[in-house]
Amino acid sequence: MDGTTKLLSISAFARRVGLSPSALRFYDDCRVLRPVWVDGATGYRFYSPAQESRAALLRSLREAGLPLAEVTVVLDGAEREGREVLERHLDRMRDQTQTAEAAIAVVLRSFSTAGSMTEARIGGVELASAIRQVVPAAASDAELPVLGCVLIEMDDGEVRLVATDRYRLSMRVLRPAALDGGPCRLLVHAADLIEFGQWAGRVHEVTIQVGPNGARARSTAESRVLVTIDDLFPAYREMLSALAPPEYRVIVDRLALREAVNSHADAARIALSFADDELVVSLADHSDAVTLPAVCHEDLPQRIGFDPAVLGPALEASVGPDVLLEVSAADRPVVVRSADQGSFSTLIMPVALDTSS
């Protein structure tokens, strides 16, 4: 050594960078963080202050759960390779987090209902309307039977009904007259819920009770058992929280848009565009265009494609004279809301239009 650089012992360096001496020895053995000098007589390791930034980055990457083999790519590889490694790791961590949250939710649900009763009182007509709106989004997929169910959540002073077939997701939020007890989640087959909704629409008020002996709904005249299944519903909250803020909004007559979409029901895909307070529905090749008056908060710079078999039922399930479309990008989920009932929303996945269109 030239004597101009003050070296740090392994203990002093460890204190500076927040790593233990044993970890530094391990990283030396792995050739990830080598000391600048090792005393040949004693075997003591010495480090340079210039190594602190590398050690701090190494510590951060390991705390983030990055495997050591990938850490070396970030530390010593090209920037492009490092970015790819970190992006893949983020995707893995998100998947693991969603899996863990779903598993923990099942356990928490069992805690909340093991020895207590949760009870919600809801208007019968309102509950029937929510069921009618949400059920069409449930799927009939033999490989994923949970998608044939409607999720009913009761917590935070709300009752939420959610269904998805992977191409769309519908959610209706209800404000019960009363909600007592801990949070709970129920999965009910959509087919069973249809019949239940018909009954609820004929009574003034429905009380849903969930306890250790199962779920039951009652009115002043009769009660019914809610048959539930034990399965994991998709982590829809994470999907909603990941949505980008809408860049484009348009309000249009719901029935007129529904008729325009249904007029192309035999098509594999249709295109929507809106500008200058007009919404245009056409086939992918621009033919059979229908122009509707609309309120466009921003002009959509490109056309966006939909499967009419998905968009049509979403408009049918909505209520009120107007519908609000919220678009973040042409390849991102589009939010379809009842303009006068923001408590009902449907997410719809767009489809790609032919490049020639």
Side-chain angles (χ1 to χ4, degrees):
M1 305 300 295
D2 60 13
T4 60
T5 301
K6 181 180 180 180
L7 298 184
L8 303 170
S9 68
I10 191 170
S11 297
F13 188 71
R15 287 193 296 272
R16 282 200 181 193
V17 301
L19 292 169
S20 66
S22 61
L24 289 172
R25 297 187 189 97
F26 172 74
Y27 292 136
D28 179 16
D29 294 338
C30 295
R31 302 179 180 272
V32 176
L33 183 61
R34 308 296 299 274
V36 298
W37 182 62
V38 179
D39 189 315
T42 63
Y44 291 163
R45 295 168 171 87
F46 292 88
Y47 296 81
S48 166
Q51 294 178 283
E52 290 181 20
S53 60
R54 181 182 178 90
L57 179 56
L58 170 60
R59 186 193 69 232
S60 297
L61 293 173
R62 294 294 281 166
E63 288 175 348
L66 198 68
L68 195 58
E70 297 182 354
V71 167
T72 60
V73 176
V74 177
L75 292 176
D76 302 318
E79 180 177 332
R80 176 184 58 81
E81 296 174 337
R83 286 182 179 275
E84 291 175 353
V85 163
L86 293 176
E87 288 170 357
R88 286 197 302 268
H89 183 64
L90 275 176
D91 290 339
R92 288 198 303 266
M93 296 298 290
R94 291 191 187 101
D95 291 342
Q96 292 171 4
T97 298
Q98 291 180 3
T99 301
E101 287 179 345
I104 291 171
V106 172
V107 178
L108 290 176
R109 186 168 70 248
S110 68
F111 286 167
S112 64
T113 60
S116 62
M117 175 75 72
T118 298
E119 182 173 293
R121 290 193 293 111
I122 312 169
V125 173
E126 186 181 19
L127 179 57
S129 172
I131 292 171
R132 180 189 66 81
Q133 290 175 309
V134 171
V135 160
S140 54
D141 191 334
E143 295 183 359
L144 288 172
V146 69
L147 298 184
C149 297
V150 173
L151 173 68
I152 302 176
E153 291 184 319
M154 297 190 290
D155 62 25
D156 297 330
E158 295 179 344
V159 175
R160 289 179 295 277
L161 284 76
V162 187
T164 181
D165 60 3
R166 293 182 292 182
Y167 302 101
R168 59 177 165 163
L169 181 147
S170 291
M171 179 175 68
R172 173 75 186 273
V173 180
L174 301 174
R175 291 285 183 178
L179 177 56
D180 301 309
C184 66
R185 293 159 56 99
L186 307 174
L187 276 176
V188 182
H189 282 293
D192 295 338
L193 209 55
I194 292 174
E195 191 275 335
F196 173 75
Q198 293 171 347
W199 168 77
R202 296 193 296 267
V203 301
H204 173 67
E205 187 175 74
V206 175
T207 299
I208 300 177
Q209 296 176 323
V210 183
N213 296 322
R216 180 177 295 273
R218 59 179 175 81
S219 66
T220 55
E222 61 178 306
S223 66
R224 297 195 170 204
V225 173
L226 278 173
V227 180
T228 62
I229 69 167
D230 187 14
D231 205 338
L232 293 178
F233 194 79
Y236 78 94
R237 290 174 182 261
E238 287 74 13
M239 182 173 63
L240 293 177
S241 64
L243 288 176
E247 295 286 339
Y248 316 99
R249 295 180 175 88
V250 58
I251 300 175
V252 64
D253 183 287
R254 181 179 68 88
L255 295 180
L257 178 57
R258 185 195 67 182
E259 292 304 316
V261 170
N262 289 343
S263 69
H264 300 95
D266 295 333
R269 63 199 66 196
I270 58 173
L272 267 63
S273 61
F274 46 87
D276 300 327
D277 286 337
E278 289 184 341
L279 186 149
V280 179
V281 183
S282 65
L283 296 178
D285 63 0
H286 295 269
S287 64
D288 292 337
V290 178
T291 300
L292 303 174
V295 177
C296 304
H297 296 175
E298 297 285 345
D299 293 348
L300 184 66
Q302 62 188 115
R303 304 163 81 217
I304 182 168
F306 290 101
D307 181 347
V310 175
L311 180 57
L315 297 169
E316 179 68 36
S318 299
V319 297
D322 300 310
V323 67
L324 169 66
L325 306 181
E326 296 182 338
V327 183
S328 59
D331 59 349
R332 300 293 179 86
V334 173
V335 180
V336 180
R337 302 186 191 276
S338 295
D340 61 350
Q341 190 183 81
S343 62
F344 175 65
S345 301
T346 299
L347 270 66
I348 300 177
M349 287 300 302
V351 297
L353 295 171
D354 294 337
T355 56
S356 60
S357 64

